[in-house]
Amino acid sequence: MKNKTRYFTLMAIMLGTILINQAIIQYFLFDKKNDSHLIDIGGKQRMLSQRIDQLSFRNVVLQKDNHDQLTSTLNTWKTAQLAIMNGNEDLKISKITNKDTYSKLNSGLKIINNIDSIIRKGNLNDASLTLINKNVDEFLPLMENIVNDLTKITDKKLSNIIIIEIILALLTIIIIFVEFQLIIKPSYNKILSQNNRLREIAWKQSHELRKPIATILGISNAIQNNASMSTKEKNKCLSYLFKATEELDQVTHEIVNKTS
């Protein structure tokens, strides 16, 4: 009963460890997907800044009437920046919790707002284009640095997950070792001991038990088949018979003791 309780307790702990392990893996996969999406949006922010620069150049130098396209791209750029900073359910990304990275993102948002104020004034000119180019040139390395930060954060999470997985694996090994020492090994030793006892019983039955039985049968036959046997001879045979019976009783007791 005690061994059964230990067994079920250890199995419950092992099952719990496996479930926790799987839960951590599933959470990490979800979180990894979120981080990958976040890094992907961060990369697109650089492309959007360059897109703003190109559209502004076409507006001023090539005199293209693309103000609506500029505004639309700018809104997408700004929305994505705010989503990276504060999280966005539609884009399936979580809020940035690292203070240093958040501060850099906020600096990038200020650059976007600067460009926004220039574009929304309308009537872009060479001076406006120069300011937009300057802001975009500041935004690109800043966003590159932010993406690197996000990648480092993801790598750190991966390292932590690997450490947790190693700890859980070691814990599982320890549980298996304890289970072997407390349950499997004692059960094996018990079975081995019982097997040895059965071998001893079999040996006694085939050798030690057979000897007094053969003696009893021999003396009994001698008494029965020899009608002319004197009283002295009969008493002597009865003495041998008694000794053989005692020997048989002793061997029987030994066998009973080994089976208990």
Side-chain angles (χ1 to χ4, degrees), residues 10-179:
L10 289 171
M11 287 302 294
I13 295 172
M14 186 180 295
L15 181 61
T17 304
I18 293 172
L19 290 175
I20 292 171
N21 187 32
Q22 289 302 311
I24 290 173
I25 290 174
Q26 292 304 317
Y27 172 78
F28 170 72
L29 290 175
F30 173 79
D31 199 41
K32 181 70 175 176
K33 185 177 180 181
N34 176 78
D35 290 341
S36 298
H37 193 40
L38 192 62
I39 293 171
D40 183 55
I41 293 175
K44 289 179 180 178
Q45 285 296 87
R46 289 174 292 180
M47 291 190 293
L48 284 172
S49 67
Q50 292 172 320
R51 177 66 175 164
I52 290 291
D53 204 13
Q54 292 172 357
L55 290 173
S56 301
F57 177 82
R58 292 177 184 178
N59 186 285
V60 175
V61 178
L62 303 179
Q63 297 183 349
K64 295 281 186 179
D65 185 13
N66 58 1
H67 191 269
D68 290 342
Q69 192 175 2
L70 258 173
T71 304
S72 175
T73 305
L74 185 62
N75 288 337
T76 302
W77 188 23
K78 189 173 183 179
T79 300
Q81 191 75 6
L82 288 169
I84 297 173
M85 293 173 66
N86 304 315
N88 187 289
E89 290 185 2
D90 294 332
L91 294 176
K92 297 180 180 180
I93 55 176
S94 303
K95 180 180 178 180
I96 291 294
T97 56
N98 185 278
K99 292 182 179 180
D100 185 49
T101 305
Y102 189 89
S103 177
K104 292 175 183 178
L105 284 165
N106 194 45
S107 297
L109 181 62
K110 289 178 181 178
I111 293 173
I112 294 173
N113 287 332
N114 289 338
I115 295 175
D116 183 41
S117 63
I118 296 170
I119 292 175
R120 292 191 186 279
K121 288 178 182 179
N123 299 319
L124 297 179
N125 52 39
D126 289 339
S128 303
L129 182 60
T130 300
L131 285 174
I132 292 172
N133 288 338
K134 181 181 177 183
N135 279 278
V136 168
D137 287 342
E138 291 178 5
F139 182 84
L140 283 171
L142 178 63
M143 202 64 208
E144 177 72 26
N145 191 262
I146 291 169
V147 170
N148 288 335
D149 284 352
L150 295 175
T151 303
K152 288 178 182 178
I153 291 171
T154 301
D155 291 341
K156 186 177 180 180
K157 287 180 182 178
L158 177 60
S159 297
N160 291 336
I161 289 295
I162 291 173
I163 292 172
I164 292 172
E165 287 294 307
I166 291 173
I167 292 172
L168 289 174
L170 290 174
L171 180 60
T172 302
I173 292 171
I174 291 171
I175 292 171
I176 293 173
F177 176 77
V178 171
E179 182 179 4

